[in-house]
Amino acid sequence: MSRIEEHVHRIFRQIPDSERKTQLTKEIIQDLEEKVADLMSAGKTEEDAVNKAIIDFGDIDDLKAELMPAVKRHREHGLSLAYSIAGSILIILLVVFANFYYTPGVIWCVYPIFAVLWWPLSMLYLYLKRR
Amino acid sequence: MISSDIIRGHLDAIILRLIYEKDRYGYEIAKEVEARTGGDFKIKEATLYAVFQRLEKKDLIESYQGSISHGGQRRYYTITSLGRAYLSEELREWRKTKEIIDTLLEGLQ
């Protein structure tokens, strides 16, 4: 694998595989290789030309943002929300059990329950905000 | 090399215009931009491909696989009718903007 190919594959590593990604990777490698050939015919050594092509490629963040499906991010937040709800229900059940099993005379379990509820609440906020 | 926000704000239109003239592939557009501005403005490949993705998503351009030339098949971009409409709207807006900025900034010695 050439250095150009290696570099492009490294850039796209975090992006989930898709047909579009495969095609775009191929396209960019082709472009950069043509650029390297142009730079070499302008008198640069191969190493210099490859370095310049890689440096000139620029900031990848915009491109990443275009390729990352927004739907997926939303689904991830949905998962966090479900997890937080399940987790807080378990914690609340544990606290309620401990309360009524060991100290049925004193109702102290509402305090930790209030604290734990912030967790799903914040996740719900994140979920709704993204939508 | 100039990298002004104003240019960046009109990259979509600039690239659409180049594709409007004829179907082009990625590197060709980068070269064309540099040649036409005499090297004053260069577009980075990363930016260029981000614009392609955005324009394709908005159905302003389409891409197709070109026939086999030297160095393999290239992916060419072509403008859609929606793209043409968008471009003429952008152009109208830009002329107006230029007029406004000229009115407000020019004439000072």
Side-chain angles (χ1 to χ4, degrees), chain B residues 9-79:
Chain B
H10 292 86
L11 271 181
D12 286 17
I14 292 168
I15 288 166
L16 266 180
R17 188 253 160 99
L18 290 171
I19 300 173
Y20 174 82
E21 290 172 357
K22 67 183 179 92
D23 296 359
R24 295 176 193 270
Y25 62 91
Y27 182 53
E28 188 186 353
I29 292 174
K31 267 196 298 194
E32 196 65 30
V33 166
E34 193 178 338
R36 286 194 191 184
T37 59
D40 282 344
F41 183 69
K42 287 178 194 157
I43 187 164
K44 304 244 184 217
E45 278 84 358
T47 317
L48 185 65
Y49 281 99
V51 174
F52 285 157
Q53 298 303 313
R54 190 161 56 233
L55 294 177
E56 247 187 322
K57 232 180 270 174
K58 289 198 228 161
D59 290 325
L60 301 178
I61 59 171
E62 277 166 1
S63 63
Y64 63 90
Q65 202 74 41
S67 56
I68 298 167
S69 61
H70 64 288
Q73 283 176 291
R74 307 196 165 287
R75 182 155 281 275
Y76 282 86
Y77 292 89
T78 185
I79 196 165

Side-chain angles (χ1 to χ4, degrees), chain A residues 20 23-24 26-28 30-32 34-36 38-39 52-53 55-60 62-63 65-68, chain B residues 25-28 31 42-50 52-54 56-57 63 65 70-75 77:
Chain A
R20 186 179 220 161
Q23 178 214 309
L24 196 64
K26 205 179 117 204
E27 196 178 336
I28 290 176
Q30 223 173 32
D31 266 18
L32 290 183
E34 190 177 334
K35 188 169 183 175
V36 167
D38 274 4
L39 288 170
K52 187 165 167 46
I55 292 166
D56 280 356
F57 188 76
D59 189 21
I60 174 83
D62 280 355
L63 187 55
E66 291 295 332
L67 285 172
M68 284 293 192
Chain B
Y25 62 91
Y27 182 53
E28 188 186 353
K31 267 196 298 194
K42 287 178 194 157
I43 187 164
K44 304 244 184 217
E45 278 84 358
T47 317
L48 185 65
Y49 281 99
F52 285 157
Q53 298 303 313
R54 190 161 56 233
E56 247 187 322
K57 232 180 270 174
S63 63
Q65 202 74 41
H70 64 288
Q73 283 176 291
R74 307 196 165 287
R75 182 155 281 275
Y77 292 89

Side-chain angles (χ1 to χ4, degrees), chain A residues 62-117:
Chain A
D62 280 355
L63 187 55
K64 270 187 192 156
E66 291 295 332
L67 285 172
M68 284 293 192
V71 191
K72 193 171 165 266
R73 244 174 290 152
H74 185 61
R75 207 185 310 141
E76 275 167 14
H77 284 307
L79 199 67
S80 311
L81 178 64
Y83 180 73
S84 67
I85 290 172
S88 43
I89 286 173
L90 281 177
I91 295 171
I92 288 167
L93 286 177
L94 178 75
V95 172
V96 169
F97 167 76
N99 190 173
F100 289 100
Y101 189 78
Y102 294 109
T103 54
V106 196
I107 308 293
W108 51 265
C109 68
V110 284
Y111 304 114
I113 286 174
F114 266 125
V116 163
L117 281 180

Side-chain angles (χ1 to χ4, degrees), chain A residues 2-15:
Chain A
S2 74
R3 271 179 63 212
I4 292 279
E5 283 173 48
E6 255 172 58
H7 181 73
V8 174
H9 285 297
R10 198 174 327 121
I11 287 176
F12 284 97
R13 210 172 32 197
Q14 293 130 304
I15 293 169

